[in-house]
């Protein structure tokens, strides 16, 4: 066996993409053999009126069980609770409608319900699932997480203040339904942060330790789509084609990182999420350029490949080969700055700019040591190209502050 | 079985034995390793094995130190399981031509158990490789050779050879 020539790539999710693709749901359910679905969503989705069209498109005889109270920081206890609802309701499949928290919660519920487990914690880590799970149809509403196609679920354990990683090919949803109607109402600053989450997935997939050609192809396309369509969507939020392009980009980036994993931006971001309750996407937007710069020491060749999808052919051709990696970092910083302007200052470009609903800063610097300690235990840190110790994590946090 | 396979298996048996004993020894003599061991829960049991039925080694944490359990964990259920998928992958890893991180990234290792504990175990393995190996080999086995000197090499070697702790 040669060094460096082996990788695995898995992508088993059917993708139904296009405006009005929700119409395909009844046929999809028949193909998946779902007769009595558990619909998992959150109050925000219900409030935005997005659950109704989904329920209206279910077959008349479906008789769904609906759980619509997934919080933004869902955790393992809730996953176990919803799984009991699934079993008590004699459900035979799940339809997940929402963003990352909803989709990952649904994956966790599917795991617990399918394997008749008591607690999802028994399946933490990689390679712990040995059999196929029940069908899960993912309907993303945020264009960021990519969870609709990934083999990963990130679920918090609030008791130990940590996000647990679950990875298995069996966690990939059976189908993903990308319909622009579900992202049209997303506010501009959330649209921007989610797209930056997808951009972060794509970039870390390109230069991470587990990079592979299939992931890179999908990731590079995702970066191009985001750079081209995100500013246009922020200027014109109801532009369906742009929304659909962002949904497609998020799914491509999801397929990419699902197979190449992610690096230090996510390691630190997960920890900021579990320690300071920072929204994942906002943390990713801030941390991505710092993570790229940190990894330039070992991965400049791969980071340089991101310059063309970020800035276009002409700008890349006009940049010295040795300066392209730094050019890519600068392009991401400038893109973040543009997004801040386009969202009226609501898109965070520094950790200190990430605010809660009351306008207060979510992150306190005195918690950086706790964040750094948690980061050392995050599973994605192993996929980061450059070694990262406690003090270096603190330095990155200070730089991002 | 080919002669090269037999030699390979013997090499892996010896290496896993040495690494197991070195982990236990390093937790006693190296302050850097002890700092990492502190992060592991008492009772943690690591089983590192080569699939499908290759050599293996197990360690546990007890009273703040690592203990080498031998080829398997006996009646103790492993809390962290590292399965190297095949003999060739194990040879790449244990001839130190590929780091644990790279082997994981290249899908050569299946892991199971608490991820933070696994990350700590990988950092400890890195430190032990730095302690056991000459610098030019250790540089291939870790993402980054430590900037500061990791002390205790002679004492780890002595303990491995004499079978102390």
């Amino acid at each position: 066996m040669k060094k460096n020539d082996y990788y695995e790539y898995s992508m088993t999710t059917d993708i139904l993409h296009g405006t009005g693709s929700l119409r395909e749901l009844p046929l999809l359910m028949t193909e998946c053999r779902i007769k009595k679905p558990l619909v998992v969503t959150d109050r925000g989705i219900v409030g935005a009126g997005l659950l109704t069209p989904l329920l209206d498109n279910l077959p008349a005889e479906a008789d769904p069980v609906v759980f619509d109270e997934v919080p933004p920081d869902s955790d393992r206890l809730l996953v176990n609770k919803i799984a009991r609802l699934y079993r008590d309701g004699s459900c035979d499949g799940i339809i997940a409608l929402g963003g990352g928290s909803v989709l990952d919660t649904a994956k966790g519920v599917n795991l617990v319900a399918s394997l008749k487990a008591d607690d999802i914690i028994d399946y933490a880590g990689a390679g712990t699932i040995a059999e196929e799970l029940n069908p899960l149809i993912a309907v993303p509403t945020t264009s960021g997480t990519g969870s609709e196609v990934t083999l990963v679920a990130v679920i918090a354990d609030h008791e130990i203040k940590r996000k647990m990683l679950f990875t298995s090919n069996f966690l990939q949803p059976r189908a993903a339904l990308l319909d622009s109607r579900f992202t049209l109402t997303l506010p501009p600053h959330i649209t921007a942060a989610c797209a930056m989450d997808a951009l972060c997935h794509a970039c870390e997939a390109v230069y991470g330790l587990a990079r592979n050609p299939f992931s890179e192809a999908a990731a590079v396309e995702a970066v191009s789509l985001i750079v081209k369509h995100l500013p246009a969507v922020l200027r014109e939020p109801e532009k369906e084609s742009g929304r659909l392009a962002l949904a497609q980009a998020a799914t491509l980036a999801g397929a990419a990182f699902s197979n190449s994993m992610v690096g230090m931006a996510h390691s630190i971001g997960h920890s900021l999420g579990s320690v300071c309750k920072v929204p994942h996407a906002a943390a990713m937007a801030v941390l991505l350029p710092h993570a790229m710069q940190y990894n330039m020491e070992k991965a400049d060749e791969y980071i340089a490949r991101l310059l063309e999808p970020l800035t276009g052919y002409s700008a890349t051709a006009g940049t010295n080969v040795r300066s392209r990696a730094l050019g890519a970092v600068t392009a991401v910083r400038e893109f973040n700055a543009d997004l801040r302007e386009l969202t009226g200052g609501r898109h965070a470009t520094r950790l200190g700019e990430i605010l809660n609903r009351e306008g207060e800063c979510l992150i306190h610097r005195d918690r950086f040591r706790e964040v750094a300690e948690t980061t050392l235990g995050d599973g994605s840190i192993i996929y980061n190209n450059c070694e990262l110790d406690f003090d270096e994590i603190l330095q990155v946090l200070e730089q991002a502050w | 079985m080919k002669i090269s396979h037999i030699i390979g298996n013997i090499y892996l048996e010896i290496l896993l034995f040495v690494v197991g004993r070195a982990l236990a020894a390093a937790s006693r003599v190296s302050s850097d390793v002890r700092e990492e061991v502190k992060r592991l829960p008492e009772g943690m049991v690591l089983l590192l094995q080569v699939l499908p039925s290759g050599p293996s080694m197990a360690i546990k944490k007890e009273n703040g130190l690592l203990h080498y359990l031998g080829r398997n964990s006996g009646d103790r259920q492993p809390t962290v399981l590292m399965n190297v998928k095949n003999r060739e992958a194990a040879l790449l890893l244990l001839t130190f031509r590929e780091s644990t991180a790279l082997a994981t990234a290249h899908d050569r290792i299946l892991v199971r158990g608490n991820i933070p504990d696994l990350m700590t175990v990988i950092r400890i393995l890195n430190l032990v490789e730095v302690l056991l190996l000459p610098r030019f080999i250790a540089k291939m086995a870790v993402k980054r050779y430590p900037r500061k000197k990791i002390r205790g090499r002679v004492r780890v070697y002595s303990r491995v050879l004499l079978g102390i702790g």
Side-chain angles (χ1 to χ4, degrees):
Chain A
M1 184 179 287
K2 283 182 189 169
K3 202 176 161 184
N4 292 338
D5 69 348
Y6 184 79
Y7 63 85
E8 292 175 7
Y9 189 93
S10 172
M11 167 66 187
T12 59
T13 307
D14 293 345
I15 295 170
L16 288 79
H17 167 271
T19 304
S21 58
L22 186 62
R23 287 190 298 264
E24 304 299 320
L25 188 57
L27 188 59
L28 189 59
M29 286 174 64
T30 306
E31 286 172 4
C32 294
R33 296 182 183 166
I34 300 177
K35 288 181 180 161
K36 189 171 172 59
L38 170 70
V39 177
V40 180
T41 188
D42 63 40
R43 300 304 301 164
I45 298 292
V46 177
L50 299 178
L51 179 60
T52 307
L54 184 128
L55 294 177
D56 288 348
N57 273 277
L58 292 177
E61 66 281 9
D63 188 24
V65 175
V66 177
F67 183 88
D68 59 6
E69 291 179 8
V70 176
D73 56 345
S74 169
D75 85 335
R76 75 174 175 91
L77 297 178
L78 183 71
V79 165
N80 296 337
K81 180 183 154 188
I82 306 173
R84 285 194 290 277
L85 200 67
Y86 180 104
R87 283 194 288 253
D88 294 346
S90 301
C91 298
D92 52 11
I94 297 177
I95 300 172
L97 174 70
S101 183
V102 167
L103 298 188
D104 282 5
T105 298
K107 285 177 172 179
V109 171
N110 200 26
L111 193 168
V112 175
S114 302
L115 303 182
K116 299 181 176 57
D118 293 323
D119 193 336
I120 190 167
I121 202 165
D122 297 337
Y123 292 88
T128 58
I129 306 170
E131 57 189 280
E132 202 162 323
L133 307 181
N134 295 342
L136 190 160
I137 297 171
V139 187
T141 59
T142 56
S143 298
T145 166
S147 186
E148 63 273 14
V149 290
T150 68
L151 49 82
V152 182
V154 181
I155 292 164
D157 186 338
H158 289 150
E159 286 176 2
I160 56 170
K161 287 186 182 173
R162 193 177 282 284
K163 292 202 172 182
M164 297 182 297
L165 196 68
F166 300 78
T167 64
S168 166
N169 285 346
F170 296 120
L171 281 174
Q172 292 176 86
R174 188 73 55 82
L177 213 148
L178 312 181
D179 190 327
S180 56
R181 79 170 78 182
F182 288 117
T183 55
L184 280 176
T185 54
L186 205 62
H189 70 287
I190 298 178
T191 303
C194 289
M196 286 304 289
D197 183 21
L199 191 81
C200 192
H201 293 152
C203 292
E204 292 204 304
V206 167
Y207 67 76
L209 216 50
R211 60 184 172 267
N212 64 74
F214 289 90
S215 288
E216 182 173 331
V220 165
E221 181 62 19
V223 174
S224 297
L225 285 169
I226 292 165
V227 171
K228 181 178 175 189
H229 292 281
L230 179 56
V233 165
L234 295 180
R235 288 188 194 98
E236 203 180 329
E238 294 191 357
K239 192 175 180 182
E240 281 195 348
S241 61
R243 290 283 187 182
L244 206 52
L246 291 181
Q248 184 171 261
T251 303
L252 281 164
F257 93 85
S258 178
N259 288 278
S260 61
M261 295 296 143
V262 283
M264 63 180 274
H266 278 78
S267 318
I268 300 174
H270 290 155
S271 306
L272 282 167
S274 49
V275 175
C276 304
K277 305 269 186 268
V278 175
H280 176 72
M284 291 303 97
V286 173
L287 291 168
L288 175 60
H290 297 277
M292 289 170 74
Q293 185 140 24
Y294 188 90
N295 277 287
M296 275 178 54
E297 183 189 342
K298 276 192 166 180
D300 59 338
E301 176 191 347
Y302 305 101
I303 294 170
R305 293 181 188 179
L306 290 164
L307 185 61
E308 188 173 335
L310 281 166
T311 62
Y313 175 77
S314 303
T316 305
T319 306
N320 183 296
V321 174
R322 286 185 183 171
S323 306
R324 286 182 186 174
L326 189 59
V329 177
T330 307
V332 173
R333 287 191 203 283
E334 288 173 356
F335 193 54
N336 256 338
D338 292 347
L339 297 181
R340 187 162 174 80
E341 202 178 307
L342 285 166
T343 56
R346 295 194 71 181
H347 178 76
T349 58
R350 296 186 297 109
L351 291 179
E353 291 171 353
I354 302 177
L355 310 176
N356 63 15
R357 284 173 193 272
E358 287 74 42
E360 296 155 347
C361 186
L362 263 173
I363 303 168
H364 298 280
R365 288 167 79 190
D366 57 5
R367 302 200 75 180
F368 277 0
R369 294 185 73 80
E370 197 183 340
V371 173
E373 183 63 34
T374 309
T375 301
L376 287 176
D378 191 272
S380 57
I381 199 167
I382 197 167
Y383 298 99
N384 197 58
N385 245 295
C386 294
E387 190 63 89
L388 192 66
D389 65 21
F390 182 87
D391 292 333
E392 288 157 341
I393 297 166
L394 284 180
Q395 280 172 24
V396 172
L397 284 165
E398 287 293 345
Q399 284 163 10
W401 177 257
Chain B
M1 188 185 278
K2 285 182 186 172
I3 189 81
S4 60
H5 285 194
I6 295 169
I7 293 169
N9 280 349
I10 293 170
Y11 175 82
L12 290 175
E13 288 274 7
I14 294 169
L15 251 290
L16 285 174
F17 171 77
V18 171
V19 169
R21 277 196 170 185
L23 284 166
S27 73
R28 284 158 179 79
V29 305
S30 164
S31 56
D32 296 282
V33 172
R34 265 203 307 277
E35 280 304 305
E36 288 292 350
V37 172
K38 275 184 195 167
R39 292 191 166 103
L40 294 172
E42 273 293 302
M44 187 265 342
V45 175
L46 163 75
L47 178 64
L48 170 58
Q49 58 187 359
V50 182
L51 297 179
S53 55
S56 57
M57 88 62 195
I59 56 163
K60 69 168 177 178
K61 179 183 172 183
E62 202 169 79
N63 300 323
L65 298 170
L66 298 180
H67 299 265
Y68 176 56
L69 296 175
R71 292 193 74 217
N72 56 60
S73 57
D75 53 0
R76 299 174 188 87
Q77 190 68 21
T79 55
V80 177
L81 190 62
M82 293 175 76
N83 285 332
V84 187
K85 282 184 177 173
N86 52 58
R87 204 175 53 87
E88 287 73 20
L91 281 170
L92 269 181
L93 183 67
L94 290 167
T95 51
F96 311 105
R97 284 181 287 160
E98 189 168 76
S99 67
T100 314
L102 206 53
T104 308
H106 287 167
D107 297 302
R108 298 197 220 275
I109 301 178
L110 293 170
V111 295
R112 184 173 181 162
N114 187 20
I115 298 285
D117 293 350
L118 178 73
M119 295 300 112
T120 304
V121 164
I122 290 172
R123 283 195 297 275
I124 294 172
L125 280 169
N126 287 345
L127 286 169
V128 167
E129 283 168 347
V130 168
L131 278 168
L132 287 178
L133 300 169
R135 187 188 177 101
F136 74 97
I137 298 177
K139 279 172 95 170
M140 289 189 289
V142 295
K143 274 190 197 172
R144 178 181 65 199
Y145 197 84
R147 292 182 188 125
K148 67 170 187 173
K149 192 170 173 64
I150 307 294
R151 297 182 184 280
R153 176 172 293 173
V154 175
R155 281 185 292 158
V156 168
Y157 265 113
S158 310
R159 282 171 175 265
V160 168
L161 292 172
L162 298 172
I164 309 168

